[in-house]
Amino acid sequence: MSDDSTQRFDRRTFLKATGAAGAAAATSGITAATPGRDPGPKKDEILVGVSAGHGDVEGKVSSYVPGNAEVVHTNDTLRYAAVKFPSQAPDKAKQNFIDAITKKDGIKYAERNRTFETQLSPSDPRFGDQYAPQQVESDAAWDTTLGDSSVTIAVVDTGAQYSHPDLQANYKSNPGKDFVDSDSDPAPDAPSNEYHATHVSGCAAAVVDNGTGVAGQGNSSLINGRALDENGSGSTSDIADAVEWATDQGADIINMSLGGGGYSSTMKNAVQYAVNNGSLPICAAGNDGSSSVSYPAAYSECMAISAVDSSENLASFSQYGSKVDLCAPGVDILSTTTETRGSYEKLSGTSMATPVTSGVAGLALAKWDLTNSELRSHLKNTAKDISLSSDKQGAGQVNAYNAVTTDPGSGGGGGGGGDGSTSSTVSDSLSSSSDYDDYEWNWEYSSPSQIVVELSGPSDADFDLYVNEGTTTNASPSNYDYRSISTNSQESITIDSPDTSTPLQIDVDSYSGSGSYDLTITEYQ
C-alpha cells in the first residue's frame, strides 16, 4: 500500500492464538432436490448452514438428523442443507432440533425454510396509456441508448411466459430454470393464474420500438429463475438457489419482486454471493404500508425500492423506511401478462416499481462500464428528488435520462472514474477460531456516498466480518452495526451514506479455521 493508504487503514488491536487450519473445502454446486419434493412453501423444513472447513454438507448435517426427518436438499456453494420433518411432527420437535444442532461444532445456523410472496397489490384492469417510462424519463434516455443485449436482468419470480410476442426478442435463447419443479423450463404451469413474472419482465424489458404492445425501460436481455409457484409463494431455499444460479449465469441485475419471509441467514448468504460475484440485487420494499422495509430488500446488499403513483406520491400500500434506496412508479402499471389473460394488463405493487428500476439500471449499464457497487451509487446519484422524505423516496425517483447522460467519472455517478473512488487492501492471517484482527478506516472523503468492505479469506475456513460506524468502539461478534457471516470466508458489507464522524471500525473474526486473508475497503465519493 502507498503511505497515504496506510494512514487511512490502521491496525486497531491485534490478538493471535494458536490453532490448526480447517479441513479441505467442500465442492461447489447445487445438488438436485429429492424427487417428489413439493414445490412452493416448505413449512416442514429446517435449513442448516455448515461452516467451510467442516467437510461435506450433507454428511455433516445427516449425522445429527433424528430418525423421523431426512436431508432432502443441499446447496454446496451456499453450504446449507434442507432437513424435512413429517407434516405431523409437532412444532416443538423442530425447535428442539434447531436448538440442538446449532450447538454442534461447525454448524453456523439453523432456521425455518420461510415462505416469500410476490409483492403485488392487484387492482381492476383498465385501459390506458403507460406512464412509467415517461415518468422515469426512459423515453428521453432512448435518444442515447435503447439498451444492450449484453446486459442481463434475471427475474427471480414465478414462471414467465418468455414466448410472449412483446418479450420473446429480449429473452435469451436459454430463458431460465425452474427451481419449483426442478426442470429447465421456467414457463408458468398455470398461465391464467401465474402471470406475475410475465408482468415484471415487461416492466423491465418489454421490447422497445418493435411496433407491438408496450415498452419496457430498455432492451436488456432477460432470464427467469422460477422460484415461486402459481400461487405466488416460494421457499427460502428455492429463492436462494435461484439467486445463486442467476449470479452464475452472469446476471448483471437480479430482480426480486418478492418478500415477507423475514431475516434468513440462507437468503443473506445468497444475496451476498450475488454481490461478491458482480450482480446487483434490486428488491421490492413490500406492500403492507408499514414504516420498515421487508426482506430481502432490507439486506444491505440489496437495493430497496418503494412505489409511487403517477402524481409522484407514495403509494398507499408501499412500505417505506430508512433502508429505502430509490422509488419508482408502481401504481396501475400497464405491462405484459400471459396471453391467456389477454397479453396486457395493469397491476400495482412494489413488484412493479422494482423492475422499472431494474430496467433503468440496464440502460445505465448499456451506456457505462460500471461494477455493481458503482451502478448502485450511480442510480442513487442520478435519481430525481420528487420532494418526498428520504424514508419514502430514498435518494429519489430513479431517472433513466440522468443515468445515461451523467458521466459516472464526473463525480455525479458513483465512482466510475479515477477521481470518484479510493481503495486500499491490507493482508494478514488468523490462526484459529479464537483469533481476530481489528482495524479502523480513516475517511478520504468528507461525505462519501458509499463504502464497501470486502473480505477474501481461505476456502477451507470460515472468517466473518463486522463493522461499526459513528463510534470508536471496536466491532465484534457481540457489538456491531453491520455484519457479514456467510458459511465461508468471502464476506462483503455495503454502507450507503456512512457516518464519517469517527473512523470506521472493522473486525475480521475467525469463526473456524485459519489462514491468510485480504481486507479491501473502497470508498465512493
Side-chain angles (χ1 to χ4, degrees), residues 179-380:
F179 292 87
V180 176
D181 295 330
S182 299
D183 61 49
S184 59
D185 186 0
D189 286 348
S192 61
N193 297 321
E194 189 179 342
Y195 52 88
H196 189 265
T198 306
H199 198 275
V200 166
S201 297
C203 290
V207 183
V208 179
D209 197 31
N210 66 341
T212 301
V214 298
Q217 310 313 310
N219 287 331
S220 298
S221 291
L222 292 166
I223 56 174
N224 176 211
R226 183 175 182 249
L228 308 178
D229 64 13
E230 54 269 20
N231 297 312
S233 298
S235 65
T236 299
S237 57
D238 285 347
I239 299 167
D241 289 354
V243 169
E244 183 211 334
W245 164 83
T247 304
D248 291 344
Q249 298 304 303
D252 299 286
I253 299 147
I254 301 177
N255 188 98
M256 285 189 279
S257 293
L258 50 86
Y263 182 92
S264 161
S265 293
T266 304
M267 189 70 74
K268 168 77 171 179
N269 292 345
V271 296
Q272 182 179 308
Y273 178 83
V275 170
N276 288 350
N277 288 278
S279 300
L280 177 62
I282 299 180
C283 304
N287 288 345
D288 69 12
S290 66
S291 59
S292 62
V293 170
S294 68
Y295 289 98
Y299 297 120
S300 62
E301 291 84 357
C302 302
M303 294 197 78
I305 311 302
S306 62
V308 297
D309 60 21
S310 59
S311 298
E312 298 184 333
N313 294 316
L314 186 74
S316 61
F317 54 77
S318 181
Q319 287 171 237
Y320 59 96
S322 60
K323 293 186 177 181
V324 168
D325 290 287
L326 294 167
C327 66
V331 178
D332 289 336
I333 302 300
L334 181 64
S335 183
T336 48
T337 191
T338 54
E339 290 182 278
T340 58
R341 291 177 63 89
S343 294
Y344 301 94
E345 65 180 308
K346 288 184 177 182
L347 298 175
S348 299
T350 52
S351 274
M352 287 64 247
T354 303
V356 170
T357 305
S358 294
V360 172
L363 279 178
L365 287 180
K367 175 63 177 177
W368 310 110
D369 182 13
L370 302 171
T371 67
N372 53 355
S373 181
E374 290 167 349
L375 174 61
R376 178 178 181 142
S377 292
H378 185 62
L379 292 174
K380 295 179 73 168

Side-chain angles (χ1 to χ4, degrees), residues 398-419:
V398 67
N399 188 279
Y401 179 76
N402 291 344
V404 302
T405 59
T406 303
D407 185 346
S410 69
D419 294 334

Side-chain angles (χ1 to χ4, degrees), residues 272-273 276 455-459 461 463 484 486 488-492:
Q272 182 179 308
Y273 178 83
N276 288 350
L455 173 66
S456 179
S459 61
F463 292 177
S484 180
S486 73
N488 56 40
S489 299
Q490 305 302 309
E491 311 292 350
S492 178

